[in-house]
């Protein structure tokens, strides 16, 4: 019964968001996305997406609208079997040399070896903030929910409702935070066998092509970017529709923190904040800050 009540509440919330202009994008790929490359290698129908990669090309889409703050989510099923060399990507990004970007990338591997869930963040053109995880489930046999929640206080990466990473806003302490550029949503499947699998040691086996990744139920519950005026409007906590500015979304709950710690302790395989050799001992400022 508890599960039914939660499911009912989710549908009620979605219905409420759907009535609010500029904060809700329904789960419909062909209505809300455009093809950026690989038109012959993909299919979008309603809330279903099929991305295909072969030796001639991959495929990619992006949202028609850009957003500043809110939540975007998609159900994704990754390339099964030997996916070495392939990368399925799902991310938010603006444009330009000082762009902002929030990433989920899924790095393929040989049959029987786990995928790598690769997360990264760019703020004003500066990236190098990678954290990587082994999945604690099989991401190829069913669809799993990948959500990026982004508000003036923090960014949270969720997998099936469990937070795996937080990046808080410490802009007042000189740490850049993506809060002044609208970002569109992108998804793609492409070949990256020069680096993606075991540092590029394992190449894509093209005899297994085509490789296929699938998406479902893309939802954006976010503030529509309308230019610089949105910087203030989308962050205004007095605007009723800016649900992401509620204090309840300003930090994780104790239960969420416990779940995140369990994932990070058990499944994180790389954290840039622990890579002292990479930064010659001069670690990024945010590495000394609490992420909650």
């Amino acid at each position: 019964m508890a599960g039914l009540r939660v499911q009912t509440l989710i549908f009620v919330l979605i219905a409420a968001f759907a009535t609010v202009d500029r904060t809700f994008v329904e789960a419909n790929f062909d209505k809300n996305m455009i093809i950026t490359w690989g038109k012959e290698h993909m299919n979008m129908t309603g809330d279903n997406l099929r991305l295909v990669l072969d030796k001639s090309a991959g495929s990619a889409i992006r949202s028609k609208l850009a957003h500043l703050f809110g939540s975007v989510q998609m159900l994704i099923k990754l390339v099964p079997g030997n996916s070495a060399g392939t990368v399925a990507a799902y991310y938010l990004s603006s444009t330009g040399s000082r762009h902002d970007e929030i990433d989920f990338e899924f790095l393929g591997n040989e049959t029987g070896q786990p995928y790598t869930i690769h997360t990264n963040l760019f703020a004003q053109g500066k990236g190098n903030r990678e954290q990587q995880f082994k999945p604690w489930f099989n991401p190829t046999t069913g669809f799993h929910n990948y959500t990026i929640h982004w508000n003036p206080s923090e960014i949270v990466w969720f997998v099936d409702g469990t937070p795996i990473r937080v990046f808080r806003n410490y802009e007042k302490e000189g740490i850049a935070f993506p809060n002044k550029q609208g970002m569109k949503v992108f998804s793609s499947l492409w070949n990256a066998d020069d680096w993606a699998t075991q540092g590029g040691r394992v190449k894509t086996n093209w005899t297994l092509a085509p490789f296929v990744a699938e998406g479902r139920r893309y939802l954006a519950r976010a503030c529509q970017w309308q230019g610089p005026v949105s910087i203030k409007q989308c962050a205004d906590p007095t605007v009723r529709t800016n649900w992401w500015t509620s204090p309840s979304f300003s930090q994780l709950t104790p239960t969420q923190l416990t779940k995140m710690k369990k994932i990070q302790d058990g499944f994180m395989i790389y954290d840039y904040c622990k890579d002292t050799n990479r930064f010659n001992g001069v670690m990024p400022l945010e590495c000394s800050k609490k992420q909650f």
Side-chain angles (χ1 to χ4, degrees):
M1 289 297 293
L4 179 60
R5 288 196 296 270
V6 170
Q7 187 177 47
T8 302
L9 177 59
I10 289 172
F11 283 119
V12 169
L13 288 172
I14 288 175
F17 288 132
T19 66
V20 180
D21 188 30
R22 299 192 302 107
T23 64
F24 182 88
V25 173
E26 63 181 308
N28 191 304
F29 286 102
D30 50 7
K31 181 178 178 180
N32 298 299
M33 296 285 191
I34 64 172
I35 300 169
T36 54
W37 42 273
K39 182 178 180 180
E40 305 301 322
H41 287 72
M42 64 167 304
N43 179 265
M44 290 190 296
T45 305
D47 67 353
N48 294 294
L49 170 69
R50 179 181 170 92
L51 297 171
V52 178
L53 166 69
D54 62 23
K55 199 167 186 177
S56 66
S59 46
I61 60 172
R62 70 163 174 81
S63 62
K64 295 178 181 178
L65 300 177
H67 304 284
L68 180 66
F69 304 136
S71 177
V72 296
Q73 61 179 294
M74 190 189 302
L75 300 180
I76 300 173
K77 182 166 69 173
L78 298 178
V79 175
N82 187 342
S83 57
T86 71
V87 174
Y90 162 59
Y91 60 101
L92 290 158
S93 184
S94 60
T95 59
S97 60
R98 294 180 60 81
H99 79 292
D100 294 335
E101 183 174 327
I102 307 169
D103 294 343
F104 267 117
E105 290 185 307
F106 308 96
L107 314 184
N109 214 331
E110 296 176 287
T111 302
Q113 299 299 312
Y115 264 83
T116 295
I117 301 174
H118 176 98
T119 66
N120 199 4
L121 169 74
F122 288 75
Q124 299 174 24
K126 180 182 177 183
N128 299 325
R129 295 182 169 103
E130 303 93 344
Q131 288 185 353
Q132 296 181 334
F133 304 82
K134 293 183 301 183
W136 49 100
F137 53 92
N138 188 333
T140 72
T141 57
F143 288 86
H144 293 269
N145 184 300
Y146 301 92
T147 297
I148 296 170
H149 181 77
W150 166 42
N151 65 28
S153 299
E154 64 183 7
I155 300 162
V156 187
W157 290 254
F158 289 91
V159 177
D160 289 333
T162 297
I164 66 169
R165 178 181 182 181
V166 172
F167 187 90
R168 291 196 64 79
N169 185 351
Y170 288 106
E171 189 175 44
K172 292 182 179 179
E173 298 181 46
I175 299 168
F177 187 83
N179 56 9
K180 297 178 178 65
Q181 301 182 62
M183 292 195 276
K184 294 184 178 181
V185 182
F186 295 78
S187 186
S188 59
L189 179 62
W190 51 292
N191 178 49
D193 66 3
D194 57 330
W195 65 271
T197 304
Q198 300 178 33
R201 291 187 295 273
V202 182
K203 303 300 182 182
T204 304
N205 184 347
W206 293 113
T207 66
L208 302 175
F211 303 99
V212 178
E214 298 177 75
R216 287 182 183 171
R217 300 178 188 172
Y218 162 68
L219 286 173
R221 295 177 291 140
C223 191
Q224 184 177 326
W225 174 256
Q226 296 183 317
V229 66
S230 296
I231 295 172
K232 182 177 180 180
Q233 289 179 346
C234 293
D236 188 346
T238 67
V239 176
R240 181 180 61 85
T241 54
N242 288 359
W243 60 271
W244 48 86
T245 62
S246 167
S248 62
F249 293 106
S250 65
Q251 64 183 61
L252 299 185
T253 66
T255 298
Q256 288 176 321
L257 283 169
T258 297
K259 290 182 177 180
M260 183 173 71
K261 185 177 187 303
K262 182 178 179 180
I263 295 298
Q264 292 184 346
D265 288 348
F267 301 96
M268 182 182 285
I269 57 175
Y270 179 80
D271 181 358
Y272 75 108
C273 280
K274 296 179 180 179
D275 194 346
T276 55
N277 291 332
R278 177 181 181 181
F279 298 102
N280 296 317
V282 183
M283 304 305 293
L285 289 175
E286 66 269 16
C287 292
S288 63
K289 304 297 181 183
K290 292 183 178 181
Q291 304 293 345
F292 58 91

